Coordinates of all heavy atoms in Angstrom, one line a residue:
M1 N 0.0 -10.3 -7.3 CA 1.2 -11.0 -7.3 C 1.9 -11.2 -6.0 O 2.4 -12.2 -5.7 CB 2.2 -10.1 -8.2 CG 2.1 -10.3 -9.8 SD 2.4 -12.0 -10.1 CE 2.1 -12.0 -11.8
K2 N 1.8 -10.1 -5.1 CA 2.3 -10.3 -3.7 C 1.6 -11.3 -3.0 O 2.2 -12.1 -2.2 CB 2.2 -8.9 -3.1 CG 3.1 -7.9 -3.6 CD 3.0 -6.6 -2.8 CE 4.0 -5.5 -3.4 NZ 4.0 -4.3 -2.7
A3 N 0.3 -11.5 -3.2 CA -0.5 -12.5 -2.6 C 0.0 -13.9 -2.9 O 0.1 -14.8 -2.1 CB -2.0 -12.4 -2.8
L4 N 0.4 -14.0 -4.3 CA 0.9 -15.3 -4.8 C 2.2 -15.6 -4.0 O 2.4 -16.7 -3.7 CB 1.0 -15.2 -6.3 CG 1.6 -16.5 -6.9 CD1 0.7 -17.7 -6.7 CD2 1.8 -16.2 -8.5
L5 N 3.1 -14.6 -4.0 CA 4.3 -14.8 -3.3 C 4.2 -15.2 -1.9 O 4.9 -16.2 -1.4 CB 5.2 -13.6 -3.4 CG 5.8 -13.4 -4.8 CD1 6.5 -11.9 -4.8 CD2 6.7 -14.4 -5.3
V6 N 3.3 -14.7 -1.2 CA 3.0 -15.0 0.2 C 2.5 -16.3 0.3 O 2.9 -17.1 1.2 CB 2.0 -14.0 0.8 CG1 1.6 -14.4 2.2 CG2 2.7 -12.5 0.9
L7 N 1.6 -16.8 -0.6 CA 1.0 -18.1 -0.6 C 2.2 -19.2 -0.9 O 2.3 -20.2 -0.1 CB 0.0 -18.3 -1.6 CG -0.7 -19.6 -1.7 CD1 -1.4 -19.9 -0.4 CD2 -1.7 -19.6 -2.9
I8 N 3.0 -18.9 -1.8 CA 4.1 -19.8 -2.2 C 5.1 -20.0 -0.9 O 5.4 -21.1 -0.6 CB 4.9 -19.4 -3.3 CG1 4.0 -19.5 -4.6 CG2 6.2 -20.2 -3.5 CD1 4.6 -18.9 -5.8
F9 N 5.5 -18.8 -0.3 CA 6.4 -18.9 0.8 C 5.7 -19.5 2.0 O 6.4 -20.3 2.7 CB 7.0 -17.5 1.1 CG 7.9 -17.0 0.1 CD1 7.7 -15.7 -0.5 CD2 9.0 -17.7 -0.4 CE1 8.6 -15.3 -1.5 CE2 9.8 -17.2 -1.4 CZ 9.6 -16.0 -1.9
S10 N 4.5 -19.3 2.2 CA 3.8 -19.9 3.3 C 3.8 -21.4 3.2 O 3.9 -22.2 4.1 CB 2.4 -19.4 3.4 OG 2.3 -18.0 3.7
F11 N 3.6 -21.9 2.0 CA 3.6 -23.4 1.7 C 4.9 -24.0 2.0 O 4.9 -25.0 2.8 CB 3.2 -23.6 0.2 CG 3.3 -25.0 -0.2 CD1 2.3 -25.9 0.2 CD2 4.4 -25.5 -0.9 CE1 2.4 -27.3 -0.2 CE2 4.4 -26.8 -1.3 CZ 3.4 -27.7 -0.9
F12 N 5.9 -23.4 1.6 CA 7.3 -23.9 1.9 C 7.7 -23.8 3.3 O 8.3 -24.7 3.8 CB 8.3 -23.2 1.0 CG 8.2 -23.8 -0.5 CD1 7.7 -23.0 -1.4 CD2 8.6 -25.1 -0.8 CE1 7.6 -23.5 -2.7 CE2 8.6 -25.6 -2.0 CZ 8.0 -24.7 -3.1
C13 N 7.2 -22.7 3.9 CA 7.6 -22.5 5.3 C 6.9 -23.5 6.2 O 7.4 -24.2 7.1 CB 7.2 -21.2 5.8 SG 8.3 -19.9 5.1
A14 N 5.6 -23.9 5.8 CA 4.8 -24.9 6.6 C 5.5 -26.3 6.4 O 5.5 -27.0 7.4 CB 3.4 -24.9 6.1
G15 N 6.0 -26.6 5.3 CA 6.6 -27.8 5.1 C 7.9 -28.0 5.9 O 8.3 -29.0 6.4
A16 N 8.7 -27.0 5.9 CA 9.8 -26.9 6.7 C 9.6 -27.1 8.2 O 10.4 -27.7 8.9 CB 10.7 -25.7 6.4
M17 N 8.6 -26.3 8.7 CA 8.2 -26.3 10.0 C 7.7 -27.7 10.5 O 7.8 -28.1 11.7 CB 7.3 -25.2 10.4 CG 7.9 -23.9 10.2 SD 6.7 -22.5 10.5 CE 6.4 -22.7 12.3
A18 N 7.2 -28.5 9.6 CA 6.6 -29.9 10.0 C 7.7 -30.7 10.5 O 7.4 -31.5 11.4 CB 5.9 -30.4 8.8
E19 N 8.9 -30.6 10.0 CA 10.0 -31.5 10.5 C 10.6 -30.9 11.7 O 10.5 -31.5 12.7 CB 11.1 -31.6 9.3 CG 10.5 -32.4 8.1 CD 11.6 -32.4 7.1 OE1 12.7 -31.9 7.2 OE2 11.3 -33.0 6.0
E20 N 11.4 -29.8 11.6 CA 12.0 -29.2 12.7 C 12.3 -27.7 12.4 O 12.6 -27.6 11.2 CB 13.3 -30.0 13.1 CG 14.3 -30.1 11.9 CD 15.4 -30.9 12.2 OE1 15.3 -32.1 12.6 OE2 16.6 -30.4 12.1
P21 N 12.1 -26.9 13.2 CA 12.3 -25.5 13.0 C 13.9 -25.1 12.8 O 14.6 -25.5 13.7 CB 11.7 -24.8 14.0 CG 11.8 -25.7 15.2 CD 11.6 -27.0 14.6
L22 N 14.2 -24.8 11.6 CA 15.6 -24.4 11.3 C 15.8 -22.9 11.1 O 14.8 -22.3 10.4 CB 16.1 -25.1 10.0 CG 16.2 -26.6 10.1 CD1 16.6 -27.1 8.7 CD2 17.2 -27.0 11.1
P23 N 16.8 -22.3 11.5 CA 16.9 -20.8 11.2 C 17.2 -20.7 9.8 O 17.9 -21.5 9.2 CB 18.1 -20.4 12.1 CG 18.9 -21.7 12.3 CD 17.8 -22.8 12.4
V24 N 16.7 -19.6 9.2 CA 17.0 -19.3 7.8 C 18.2 -18.4 7.7 O 18.2 -17.3 8.3 CB 15.8 -18.5 7.1 CG1 16.1 -18.1 5.7 CG2 14.5 -19.4 7.2
E25 N 19.2 -18.9 7.0 CA 20.5 -18.2 6.9 C 20.4 -17.2 5.6 O 19.9 -17.7 4.5 CB 21.6 -19.2 6.7 CG 21.8 -20.1 7.8 CD 22.8 -21.2 7.6 OE1 23.6 -21.1 6.7 OE2 22.6 -22.3 8.2
Q26 N 20.8 -16.0 5.8 CA 20.9 -15.1 4.6 C 22.2 -15.2 3.9 O 23.3 -15.1 4.5 CB 20.7 -13.7 5.1 CG 19.3 -13.4 5.8 CD 18.1 -13.6 4.8 OE1 18.2 -13.3 3.7 NE2 17.1 -14.3 5.3
Y27 N 22.1 -15.4 2.6 CA 23.4 -15.6 1.8 C 24.1 -14.3 1.6 O 23.5 -13.3 1.3 CB 23.1 -16.3 0.5 CG 24.3 -16.4 -0.4 CD1 25.4 -17.3 -0.1 CD2 24.5 -15.5 -1.5 CE1 26.5 -17.4 -0.8 CE2 25.6 -15.7 -2.3 CZ 26.6 -16.5 -2.0 OH 27.7 -16.7 -2.7
S28 N 25.4 -14.3 1.7 CA 26.3 -13.2 1.3 C 27.4 -13.7 0.4 O 27.8 -14.9 0.5 CB 26.8 -12.5 2.5 OG 27.8 -13.3 3.1
Y29 N 27.8 -12.9 -0.5 CA 28.8 -13.3 -1.5 C 30.1 -13.7 -0.9 O 30.9 -14.6 -1.4 CB 29.1 -12.2 -2.5 CG 28.0 -11.9 -3.5 CD1 27.2 -10.9 -3.3 CD2 27.7 -12.9 -4.4 CE1 26.1 -10.7 -4.2 CE2 26.6 -12.8 -5.3 CZ 25.8 -11.7 -5.1 OH 24.8 -11.4 -6.0
S30 N 30.4 -13.2 0.3 CA 31.8 -13.6 1.0 C 31.6 -14.9 1.8 O 32.6 -15.5 2.3 CB 32.2 -12.5 1.9 OG 31.2 -12.4 2.9
Q31 N 30.5 -15.5 1.9 CA 30.2 -16.7 2.6 C 30.6 -18.0 1.9 O 30.4 -18.2 0.7 CB 28.6 -16.8 2.9 CG 28.2 -17.9 3.7 CD 26.6 -17.8 3.9 OE1 25.9 -16.9 3.4 NE2 26.1 -18.7 4.7
H32 N 31.3 -18.8 2.6 CA 31.7 -20.1 2.1 C 30.7 -21.1 2.4 O 30.1 -21.3 3.5 CB 33.0 -20.6 2.9 CG 33.3 -22.0 2.4 ND1 33.8 -22.4 1.3 CD2 33.3 -23.2 3.2 CE1 33.9 -23.8 1.2 NE2 33.6 -24.2 2.4
L33 N 30.1 -21.7 1.3 CA 29.1 -22.8 1.5 C 29.5 -24.2 1.5 O 30.4 -24.5 0.6 CB 28.0 -22.6 0.4 CG 27.3 -21.2 0.4 CD1 26.4 -21.1 -0.9 CD2 26.5 -21.0 1.6
D34 N 29.1 -25.0 2.4 CA 29.5 -26.3 2.4 C 28.2 -27.2 2.1 O 27.4 -27.6 2.9 CB 30.0 -26.8 3.9 CG 30.2 -28.2 4.0 OD1 30.3 -29.0 3.1 OD2 30.3 -28.7 5.2
I35 N 27.9 -27.4 0.9 CA 26.7 -28.0 0.3 C 27.0 -29.4 -0.1 O 27.7 -29.6 -1.2 CB 26.0 -27.2 -0.7 CG1 25.7 -25.9 -0.2 CG2 24.7 -27.9 -1.2 CD1 25.1 -24.9 -1.3
A36 N 26.7 -30.5 0.5 CA 26.8 -31.8 0.1 C 25.7 -32.4 -0.6 O 25.8 -33.2 -1.5 CB 27.2 -32.7 1.4
H37 N 24.5 -32.0 -0.2 CA 23.3 -32.5 -0.8 C 22.1 -31.5 -0.8 O 21.8 -31.1 0.3 CB 22.8 -33.8 -0.1 CG 21.6 -34.4 -0.6 ND1 21.4 -35.0 -1.9 CD2 20.4 -34.4 0.0 CE1 20.2 -35.4 -1.9 NE2 19.5 -35.1 -0.9
V38 N 21.6 -31.2 -1.9 CA 20.5 -30.2 -2.0 C 19.2 -31.0 -1.7 O 18.9 -32.0 -2.4 CB 20.3 -29.5 -3.3 CG1 19.1 -28.6 -3.4 CG2 21.6 -28.6 -3.5
I39 N 18.4 -30.7 -0.7 CA 17.1 -31.4 -0.4 C 16.0 -30.8 -1.2 O 15.3 -31.5 -1.8 CB 16.9 -31.3 1.1 CG1 18.0 -32.0 1.9 CG2 15.5 -32.0 1.5 CD1 17.9 -31.8 3.4
S40 N 15.9 -29.5 -1.2 CA 14.8 -28.8 -1.9 C 15.1 -27.4 -2.2 O 16.0 -26.8 -1.5 CB 13.5 -28.9 -1.2 OG 13.6 -28.2 0.0
M41 N 14.4 -26.8 -3.2 CA 14.6 -25.5 -3.6 C 13.2 -24.9 -3.8 O 12.3 -25.6 -4.5 CB 15.5 -25.2 -4.8 CG 16.9 -25.7 -4.6 SD 17.9 -25.4 -6.0 CE 18.0 -23.6 -6.1
S42 N 13.0 -23.6 -3.4 CA 11.7 -23.1 -3.6 C 11.6 -22.6 -5.2 O 12.5 -22.5 -5.8 CB 11.4 -22.0 -2.7 OG 12.3 -20.9 -2.9
E43 N 10.3 -22.5 -5.6 CA 10.1 -22.1 -7.0 C 10.5 -20.6 -7.1 O 10.2 -19.8 -6.2 CB 8.6 -22.3 -7.4 CG 8.3 -23.7 -7.5 CD 8.9 -24.5 -8.6 OE1 9.1 -23.8 -9.7 OE2 9.3 -25.7 -8.4
V44 N 10.9 -20.2 -8.3 CA 11.2 -18.8 -8.6 C 9.9 -18.2 -9.0 O 9.3 -18.7 -10.0 CB 12.3 -18.6 -9.6 CG1 12.5 -17.2 -9.9 CG2 13.6 -19.3 -9.1
A45 N 9.5 -17.1 -8.5 CA 8.2 -16.4 -8.8 C 8.3 -16.0 -10.2 O 9.3 -15.6 -10.9 CB 7.9 -15.3 -7.9
N46 N 7.1 -15.9 -10.8 CA 6.9 -15.5 -12.3 C 6.7 -14.0 -12.4 O 5.6 -13.6 -12.8 CB 5.8 -16.4 -12.9 CG 5.8 -16.2 -14.4 OD1 6.9 -16.0 -15.0 ND2 4.7 -16.4 -15.1
V47 N 7.6 -13.2 -11.9 CA 7.6 -11.8 -11.9 C 8.9 -11.3 -12.5 O 9.8 -12.0 -12.5 CB 7.3 -11.2 -10.5 CG1 5.9 -11.6 -10.0 CG2 8.4 -11.6 -9.5
C48 N 8.8 -10.0 -13.0 CA 10.0 -9.4 -13.5 C 10.6 -8.5 -12.4 O 10.5 -7.3 -12.4 CB 9.7 -8.6 -14.7 SG 11.2 -8.0 -15.6
A49 N 11.2 -9.2 -11.4 CA 11.8 -8.4 -10.2 C 12.8 -9.3 -9.5 O 12.7 -10.6 -9.8 CB 10.7 -8.0 -9.3
V50 N 13.6 -8.9 -8.7 CA 14.5 -9.7 -7.9 C 13.6 -10.2 -6.8 O 12.9 -9.5 -6.1 CB 15.7 -8.9 -7.4 CG1 16.5 -9.7 -6.4 CG2 16.5 -8.4 -8.6
V51 N 13.6 -11.6 -6.5 CA 12.8 -12.2 -5.5 C 13.6 -13.1 -4.7 O 14.7 -13.7 -5.1 CB 11.6 -13.1 -6.2 CG1 10.7 -12.1 -6.9 CG2 12.3 -14.1 -7.1
P52 N 13.3 -13.3 -3.4 CA 14.0 -14.3 -2.6 C 13.5 -15.7 -2.9 O 12.4 -16.0 -3.2 CB 13.5 -13.9 -1.2 CG 12.2 -13.2 -1.3 CD 12.1 -12.6 -2.7
V53 N 14.5 -16.6 -2.9 CA 14.2 -18.1 -2.9 C 15.0 -18.7 -1.8 O 15.9 -18.2 -1.3 CB 14.7 -18.6 -4.3 CG1 13.8 -18.1 -5.3 CG2 16.1 -18.4 -4.6
R54 N 14.6 -20.0 -1.5 CA 15.2 -20.7 -0.4 C 15.7 -22.0 -0.9 O 15.0 -22.7 -1.7 CB 14.2 -20.9 0.7 CG 14.0 -19.6 1.5 CD 13.2 -19.8 2.7 NE 12.9 -18.5 3.5 CZ 12.3 -18.4 4.5 NH1 11.8 -19.4 5.1 NH2 12.2 -17.2 5.1
M55 N 16.8 -22.4 -0.4 CA 17.3 -23.8 -0.7 C 17.5 -24.5 0.7 O 18.2 -23.9 1.6 CB 18.7 -23.7 -1.4 CG 19.4 -25.0 -1.6 SD 20.8 -24.9 -2.6 CE 21.9 -23.7 -1.7
T56 N 17.1 -25.7 0.8 CA 17.4 -26.6 2.0 C 18.3 -27.6 1.5 O 18.3 -28.2 0.5 CB 16.0 -27.2 2.5 OG1 15.1 -26.3 2.7 CG2 16.3 -28.1 3.7
Y57 N 19.5 -27.7 2.3 CA 20.5 -28.6 2.0 C 21.1 -29.2 3.3 O 20.9 -28.7 4.3 CB 21.5 -27.8 1.1 CG 22.3 -26.8 2.0 CD1 23.5 -27.1 2.5 CD2 21.9 -25.5 2.1 CE1 24.3 -26.1 3.2 CE2 22.7 -24.5 2.8 CZ 23.8 -24.9 3.3 OH 24.5 -23.9 4.0
E58 N 21.9 -30.2 3.0 CA 22.7 -30.8 4.1 C 24.2 -30.6 3.8 O 24.6 -30.5 2.6 CB 22.5 -32.4 4.1 CG 21.3 -32.8 4.7 CD 21.1 -34.4 4.8 OE1 22.0 -35.1 4.3 OE2 20.1 -34.8 5.4
D59 N 24.9 -30.2 4.8 CA 26.3 -30.0 4.7 C 27.1 -31.3 4.7 O 26.5 -32.3 4.9 CB 26.9 -29.0 5.7 CG 26.7 -29.4 7.1 OD1 26.6 -30.6 7.5 OD2 26.8 -28.5 8.0
S60 N 28.5 -31.2 4.7 CA 29.3 -32.5 4.7 C 29.2 -33.2 6.0 O 29.6 -34.4 6.1 CB 30.7 -32.1 4.4 OG 31.2 -31.2 5.3
K61 N 28.7 -32.5 7.0 CA 28.6 -33.2 8.4 C 27.1 -33.8 8.6 O 26.8 -34.3 9.6 CB 28.9 -32.3 9.4 CG 30.3 -31.7 9.4 CD 30.5 -30.7 10.5 CE 31.9 -30.2 10.4 NZ 32.2 -29.1 11.1
G62 N 26.2 -33.6 7.6 CA 24.9 -34.1 7.7 C 23.9 -33.2 8.3 O 22.7 -33.6 8.6
Q63 N 24.3 -32.0 8.6 CA 23.4 -30.9 9.2 C 22.6 -30.3 8.2 O 23.1 -29.9 7.1 CB 24.2 -30.0 10.1 CG 24.8 -30.6 11.2 CD 25.7 -29.6 12.0 OE1 26.1 -28.6 11.5 NE2 25.8 -29.8 13.3
K64 N 21.3 -30.1 8.5 CA 20.4 -29.4 7.6 C 20.5 -27.9 7.7 O 20.7 -27.3 8.8 CB 18.9 -29.8 7.8 CG 18.6 -31.1 7.2 CD 17.0 -31.3 7.3 CE 16.6 -32.6 6.7 NZ 15.1 -32.8 6.9
H65 N 20.4 -27.2 6.6 CA 20.4 -25.7 6.6 C 19.4 -25.2 5.6 O 19.0 -25.9 4.6 CB 21.8 -25.2 6.1 CG 23.0 -25.6 6.9 ND1 23.5 -24.9 8.0 CD2 23.7 -26.7 6.9 CE1 24.4 -25.5 8.5 NE2 24.6 -26.6 7.9
I66 N 18.9 -24.0 5.9 CA 18.0 -23.3 4.9 C 18.7 -22.0 4.5 O 19.0 -21.2 5.5 CB 16.6 -23.0 5.5 CG1 15.9 -24.4 5.9 CG2 15.8 -22.3 4.5 CD1 14.5 -24.1 6.6
L67 N 18.9 -21.8 3.3 CA 19.7 -20.6 2.8 C 18.6 -19.9 2.0 O 18.1 -20.3 1.1 CB 20.9 -21.1 2.1 CG 21.8 -19.9 1.5 CD1 22.5 -19.3 2.7 CD2 22.7 -20.5 0.5
E68 N 18.6 -18.5 2.3 CA 17.7 -17.7 1.5 C 18.7 -16.8 0.6 O 19.7 -16.2 1.2 CB 16.9 -16.8 2.3 CG 15.9 -16.0 1.5 CD 14.9 -15.2 2.3 OE1 13.8 -15.9 2.6 OE2 15.2 -14.1 2.8
Y69 N 18.4 -16.6 -0.6 CA 19.2 -15.8 -1.5 C 18.2 -15.1 -2.5 O 17.0 -15.5 -2.6 CB 20.4 -16.5 -2.2 CG 19.9 -17.8 -2.9 CD1 19.7 -17.7 -4.3 CD2 19.6 -18.9 -2.3 CE1 19.4 -18.7 -5.0 CE2 19.2 -20.0 -3.0 CZ 19.1 -19.9 -4.5 OH 18.6 -21.0 -5.1
R70 N 18.7 -14.3 -3.3 CA 17.9 -13.5 -4.2 C 18.3 -13.8 -5.7 O 19.5 -13.9 -6.0 CB 18.0 -12.0 -4.0 CG 17.6 -11.6 -2.6 CD 17.5 -10.1 -2.5 NE 16.6 -9.6 -1.4 CZ 15.3 -9.7 -1.2 NH1 14.7 -10.5 -2.0 NH2 14.7 -9.1 -0.2
V71 N 17.2 -14.0 -6.5 CA 17.4 -14.2 -7.9 C 16.5 -13.3 -8.7 O 15.4 -12.9 -8.1 CB 17.2 -15.8 -8.3 CG1 18.2 -16.5 -7.6 CG2 15.8 -16.2 -8.0
M72 N 16.7 -13.2 -10.0 CA 15.7 -12.5 -10.9 C 14.6 -13.4 -11.1 O 14.8 -14.6 -11.4 CB 16.4 -12.1 -12.2 CG 15.6 -11.2 -13.1 SD 15.5 -9.6 -12.1 CE 14.5 -8.6 -13.3
G73 N 13.3 -12.9 -11.0 CA 12.2 -13.7 -11.4 C 12.1 -14.2 -12.8 O 12.8 -13.6 -13.7
N74 N 11.2 -15.1 -13.0 CA 11.1 -15.7 -14.3 C 10.1 -15.0 -15.3 O 9.7 -15.4 -16.3 CB 10.5 -17.1 -14.2 CG 11.6 -18.0 -13.6 OD1 12.8 -17.8 -13.8 ND2 11.2 -19.1 -12.9
G75 N 9.6 -13.8 -14.9 CA 8.5 -13.1 -15.6 C 8.9 -12.0 -16.5 O 8.2 -11.3 -17.1
C76 N 10.3 -11.9 -16.8 CA 10.8 -10.9 -17.7 C 10.8 -11.4 -19.2 O 11.1 -12.6 -19.4 CB 12.1 -10.5 -17.3 SG 12.3 -9.8 -15.6
S77 N 10.6 -10.5 -20.1 CA 10.7 -10.9 -21.5 C 11.8 -10.1 -22.1 O 12.0 -8.9 -21.7 CB 9.3 -10.8 -22.2 OG 9.0 -9.4 -22.2
N78 N 12.3 -10.5 -23.2 CA 13.4 -9.7 -23.9 C 12.9 -9.0 -25.1 O 13.6 -8.7 -26.0 CB 14.5 -10.7 -24.2 CG 15.2 -11.3 -23.2 OD1 15.3 -10.7 -22.1 ND2 15.8 -12.5 -23.3
G79 N 11.6 -8.6 -25.0 CA 11.1 -7.9 -26.3 C 10.4 -6.7 -25.9 O 10.0 -5.8 -25.8

């Protein structure tokens, strides 16, 4: 599973680096977000754990940002 996550993140990182290198911002709950347009979002891993995902977006001034935050993976079952 870890190898799959590394492969997924490598794929998205390579695509982001092809355009221009942007710093990855870590999200915190107190942070004010200025999201005018979402460009892309990484896939949520199919594991039952909290995993990092990234969103690339443009703010109201047209500047691109990459935001990393954590979500629960899609691999949990309720049974």
Side-chain angles (χ1 to χ4, degrees):
M1 280 300 181
K2 290 182 183 180
L4 178 61
L5 287 174
V6 170
L7 181 63
I8 290 170
F9 290 127
S10 298
F11 174 75
F12 285 106
C13 290
M17 291 177 67
E19 292 178 359
E20 58 188 51
L22 294 174
V24 176
E25 303 169 23
Q26 299 296 317
Y27 175 73
S28 70
Y29 288 107
S30 63
Q31 185 176 357
H32 171 72
L33 298 176
D34 176 16
I35 301 173
H37 174 73
V38 174
I39 298 168
S40 66
M41 294 182 68
S42 63
E43 294 289 326
V44 177
N46 195 25
V47 297
C48 189
V50 177
V51 295
V53 293
R54 290 185 179 183
M55 174 176 57
T56 303
Y57 69 94
E58 286 184 353
D59 63 19
S60 60
K61 297 175 185 170
Q63 295 180 329
K64 281 187 182 180
H65 300 266
I66 299 174
L67 183 70
E68 184 173 271
Y69 57 99
R70 297 189 164 297
V71 298
M72 192 66 182
N74 291 329
C76 299
S77 64
N78 292 331

